[in-house]
Amino acid sequence: MLSYTIIIVAICICIALILNLWRLLQGPTASDRILALDTMYINAIALILLYGIHVKSALYFEAAVLIAMLGFVSTAALCKYLLRGDIIE
C-alpha cells in the first residue's frame, strides 16, 4: 500500500515541478521567477525524500538537507540582488 502511495505522490510532485518550470519560464516578473525556483527546490526535496523512503536509505535524507541549504542561500542571494542590485556590500 505504501509503495502505491509513494508512486501517486511522486507523480503529483512531478506535475507540480512541470507547472513550476512553466512559471519559471513564463513568469511576468523576476520575483515570480524567483518564487518558482524556490518552489522547485522544495518539490525536488520532496521527490528525493520520497525516493529515500521507497528504497529505505538514509543517504537521500542527507542529500535533501544539502539541497535545502543551497536552495535557501540561493533564494536569499537572488532576492538581495533583486532589491539592491548587488549581492556583496
Side-chain angles (χ1 to χ4, degrees):
M1 182 73 176
L2 183 62
S3 63
Y4 295 124
T5 306
I6 288 174
I7 292 171
I8 291 170
V9 171
I11 290 170
C12 291
I13 292 174
C14 287
I15 292 170
L17 272 170
I18 291 169
L19 292 173
N20 285 327
L21 181 65
W22 178 74
R23 175 52 63 192
L24 181 68
L25 297 175
Q26 300 292 325
T29 63
S31 60
D32 287 334
R33 292 182 173 147
I34 291 173
L35 185 62
L37 185 65
D38 189 46
T39 308
M40 286 180 77
Y41 275 119
I42 293 169
N43 288 337
I45 290 168
L47 272 178
I48 290 171
L49 289 175
L50 279 174
Y51 186 70
I53 291 170
H54 182 69
V55 297
K56 297 178 178 89
S57 174
L59 180 66
Y60 296 101
F61 296 105
E62 294 175 10
V65 170
L66 180 66
I67 291 174
M69 288 189 298
L70 289 174
F72 172 74
V73 170
S74 67
T75 301
L78 283 171
C79 289
K80 189 172 181 181
Y81 178 74
L82 189 65
L83 286 175
R84 297 186 183 154
D86 190 20
I87 296 173
I88 300 173
E89 296 176 351

